[in-house]
Amino acid sequence: MAGQQRVYKQRIGSTKSMQQIFRAMELIATSRIARARQAVTASTPYARAITRAVSAVATYSDADHPLTTERAEVRRSAVVVVTSDRGMAGAYSASVLREAERLVARLREEGREPVLYVVGRKGVAYYRFRRRDLAGQWSGFSESPMYDDARQIGEELVEQFVRSSQPEDGGEPGVDEIHVVSTAFVSMVTQTPQVNRLLPLEVVEGVEPPSSDELLPLYEFEPSGEQVLDALLPRYITSRLHNALLQAAASEHAARQRAMKTAGDNAEDLVKMYTRLANQARQAEITQEITEIVGGADALAASSSS
């Protein structure tokens, strides 16, 4: 019985230590969520504004730009998967990876070769364990992405996109379209994995169509629509990627805060259960000692009377 009490006390101590870690991580995640949400709120208007600007240039100019033109035949599709660098965030990374696997399966059914680009150590470890080739990987900034991080990813993707799918020099082929799989931050309790096609240009935050009596504005582009697109599209790609990374960071913090709160509550329940079991073991030990004492006293009394 004494051995059982010792085991239960050790479990209570280790569980309380883990509970303190869970509480600390919950508080850290809670403190970072507000900052992450502010970053998402600050970046969203710029992303929408530059999307409208690029859409206006693509719509009202006659420029035949490679970033806005649908390919006649799509053979290779880039899939950018945005995961976390650290764990203990519930099903956050697993949900994104599950959505990415569905997209990869759909692309293969359509006869397209998926090319994987992964952001975050969790995604890199997932694909490495399955021995899947990665065309590019980035990590170390999932909790607080910067604009330069998005620009680095965007430059690599644009370079692969503008490269011909059938290069004459025998080099590596490029990609014909780019999809981004990330997590959209809806609220503190809702984070939704989503798939957006980044290139060729696909307007996600579209402008409502004008009414019948509304005159459409006329645009003039200097020096030319094609040169304007050359200048705008890299910024468009970077801003959209930056907004996606910021939303993913806010979703990661929210998921970790929720997971750590659940883990802390479960640890508290375990402490109560182990405490009850330790008390039961102590009561059983006391009962056994009393029984042994009474039995010894009865044996001494019987021997004395005889």
Side-chain angles (χ1 to χ4, degrees):
M1 293 298 178
Q4 287 186 356
Q5 284 192 66
R6 187 161 51 250
V7 170
Y8 290 138
K9 288 181 179 180
Q10 290 175 353
R11 291 181 179 178
I12 290 172
S14 60
T15 304
K16 285 184 176 180
S17 299
M18 293 297 296
Q19 185 181 17
Q20 292 178 353
I21 296 175
F22 295 151
R23 296 301 185 193
M25 294 186 68
E26 178 188 354
L27 293 175
I28 293 173
T30 303
S31 65
R32 292 178 177 176
I33 287 174
R35 191 184 312 152
R37 293 180 65 181
Q38 290 176 358
V40 172
T41 304
S43 68
T44 299
Y46 177 77
R48 290 179 176 174
I50 197 169
T51 299
R52 288 195 295 266
V54 173
S55 301
V57 178
T59 303
Y60 297 106
S61 70
D62 298 330
D64 188 13
H65 200 276
L67 300 186
T68 60
T69 304
E70 294 282 349
R71 301 291 172 88
E73 182 179 3
V74 179
R75 296 184 179 181
R76 305 180 83 235
S77 301
V79 179
V80 184
V81 186
V82 182
T83 62
S84 64
D85 287 324
R86 296 192 300 125
M88 305 185 76
Y92 167 74
S93 294
S95 300
V96 177
L97 292 169
R98 194 179 304 115
E99 191 69 27
E101 290 294 345
R102 281 196 286 262
L103 174 61
V104 168
R106 178 170 61 83
L107 292 174
R108 286 175 176 167
E109 290 177 357
E110 296 173 355
R112 306 176 183 181
E113 177 188 355
V115 183
L116 291 171
Y117 295 85
V118 181
V119 180
R121 294 189 181 97
K122 286 298 178 180
V124 172
Y126 174 86
Y127 288 110
R128 278 183 178 175
F129 179 78
R130 288 157 179 79
R131 298 181 179 179
R132 305 271 290 276
D133 294 331
L134 300 180
Q137 61 185 52
W138 300 269
S139 60
F141 52 82
S142 69
E143 295 185 10
S144 56
M146 305 298 292
Y147 190 81
D148 288 339
D149 301 323
R151 182 169 55 188
Q152 181 182 0
I153 300 172
E155 289 176 353
E156 174 67 19
L157 294 175
V158 171
E159 179 183 354
Q160 294 297 323
F161 185 80
V162 298
R163 182 183 299 175
S164 174
S165 298
Q166 297 178 347
E168 297 178 358
D169 57 358
E172 290 293 331
V175 296
D176 301 311
E177 62 180 3
I178 299 175
H179 299 272
V180 179
V181 185
S182 60
T183 306
F185 182 85
V186 180
S187 64
M188 287 294 297
V189 296
T190 305
Q191 299 87 42
T192 307
Q194 62 180 1
V195 178
N196 291 324
R197 196 184 75 171
L198 200 61
L199 289 176
L201 176 63
E202 185 177 58
V203 180
V204 178
E205 298 93 357
V207 183
E208 294 183 0
S211 59
S212 58
D213 56 348
E214 183 179 354
L215 296 177
L216 294 176
L218 298 177
Y219 292 89
E220 292 184 2
F221 305 103
E222 294 183 359
S224 66
E226 185 174 356
Q227 290 179 323
V228 172
L229 285 174
D230 287 338
L232 280 179
L233 279 170
R235 292 177 173 82
Y236 160 77
I237 299 300
T238 302
S239 65
R240 290 297 302 274
L241 284 173
H242 187 222
N243 184 259
L245 292 176
L246 290 175
Q247 292 207 39
S251 301
E252 179 183 349
H253 291 313
R256 182 169 290 113
Q257 187 267 343
R258 189 167 58 252
M260 290 301 96
K261 184 179 186 308
T262 302
D265 294 341
N266 292 339
E268 185 175 356
D269 294 339
L270 284 176
V271 169
K272 291 180 180 179
M273 182 187 70
Y274 288 139
T275 302
R276 184 173 62 254
L277 292 175
N279 292 335
Q280 291 177 356
R282 181 172 177 274
Q283 291 174 359
E285 182 182 356
I286 294 173
T287 302
Q288 183 178 359
E289 291 177 355
I290 293 175
T291 303
E292 291 174 355
I293 293 172
V294 172
D298 291 342
L300 290 174
S303 62
S304 299
S305 62
S306 61

